[in-house]
Amino acid sequence: MKNISSEIQASRQAFYDAISPLNLTPLWEVLHALVPPQPNSPCVPALWKYELLEPYLLGSAQLITAEEAVRRVLILENPALRGHSCITQSLYAGLQLILPGEVAPSHRHTQSALRFIVSGSGAYTAVDGERTTMQPGDFIITPSMTWHDHGHDGDEPMVWLDGLDIPMLRFFDAGFAENDTRPSQEVSRPEGASFARYGHNMAPVRAASPYGATSPIFSYPFQHVLRALQKMQRFEPVDAWDGFKLRYTNPLTGGWPMLTMGTFMQLLPKGFAGRPYRQTDGTVFSVVRGAGTAYIESASSQTEFHFEPRDHFVVPSWYTLRLTSTEGCMLFSYSDRPVHEALGIHKEERLIS
Ligand code: 1HN
């Protein structure tokens, strides 16, 4: 507000006090905060070094079983939003541990989940009667309201990143959940059945999409993405901002595999020094291979994260990100971009320097 006399200020305050019991408040006091000239996220950039958290994650198995915990997860909480179980205002992230012989019991909920496998192998996730064995680097989907449980027939601890749209569903007050009557759901189809039907640029002639606009494929194996990016690296010019970057797709539509979260894999070649960009979708990164540096800036802050395999970091909406990698690296990421696009509010700026 401009310079105003204390007399006017006092009479305005008296007015606000008078209308407050009627649950009224003056727009003119909050207008610029409500409609900022550009995004002004309450989130901050943050890095979770796997090396530092791994002892605690593995140690959590001494405290509680997967069955008792239902899901034994350490949530990655944005440092500026502690206590809200979220990594950005719209996204949840956590690292889940399952040990050989354990079961994470079957349940279902309207929140959609993605898994990105970080460490170990041999555990399976079951979705809608079909099990998928998980390998490092695989991207796996649990569509909204599908029964899902996890189990582990292998012989080493297994860790994956869970990405859920929990804060969005909380915002819309649209959360429903239900526990199954059995810890593990019955298997009704062989492993790979969905991939056979939908994973080879083919589709059943008459069958309708089993999960609406969500992808009919539960698992996007790492080996396929790796092959694609390595091949691209040989014949395609490198993108000055992204390196070589692909988005995962729903094979039936070409659109995003999930309605609320978009997923990506990128390869930064050796010696890559990316240009800066910013976009409205705050993004969570999981480091698959190699190492590099993320330079993250806003008008009032500058952060530099050195990342290695299994590290995770978050870049809030409209922060500028620049990626570099001396040895080369691969990064998986997810964001709420499908929602921004559906609402017509997605914005990206690719800057020159
Ligand atoms: C959930 O169902 C899983 O199925 C993981 O593995 C994390 C966080 C909150 C609510 C449900 C899972 C979750 C979750």
Side-chain angles (χ1 to χ4, degrees), residues 70-73 75 92 94 96 104-105 107-109 111 113-115 125 142 148-150 160 162-164 166:
V70 181
R71 298 295 184 262
R72 189 173 48 219
V73 175
I75 302 174
Y92 162 103
Q96 179 160 177
H107 68 188
R108 61 178 185 169
H109 37 72
Q111 290 83 359
L114 67 86
R115 331 266 168 211
T125 185
T142 308
H148 57 286
D149 53 88
H150 317 301
W160 63 79
D162 286 316
L164 285 92
I166 290 173

Side-chain angles (χ1 to χ4, degrees), residues 148-195:
H148 57 286
D149 53 88
H150 317 301
H152 197 348
D153 301 329
D155 51 21
E156 55 178 343
M158 193 154 170
V159 174
W160 63 79
L161 171 70
D162 286 316
L164 285 92
D165 51 14
I166 290 173
M168 282 186 236
L169 272 82
R170 184 163 59 194
F171 178 78
F172 290 118
D173 287 329
F176 293 89
E178 212 179 329
N179 287 322
D180 210 341
T181 49
R182 282 172 290 193
S184 302
Q185 63 182 291
E186 213 165 296
V187 173
S188 60
R189 276 169 291 149
E191 174 149 7
S194 299
F195 204 80

Side-chain angles (χ1 to χ4, degrees), residues 254-272:
W256 302 102
M258 313 175 76
L259 290 166
T260 48
M261 295 181 285
T263 45
F264 308 84
M265 184 75 89
Q266 74 197 101
L267 184 157
L268 307 183
K270 277 192 185 122
F272 183 74

Side-chain angles (χ1 to χ4, degrees), residues 189 194-195 198 209-212 214-220 250-252 257:
R189 276 169 291 149
S194 299
F195 204 80
Y198 299 100
S209 173
Y211 306 104
T214 298
S215 174
I217 300 180
F218 301 129
S219 174
Y220 291 76
N250 175 339
L252 293 181

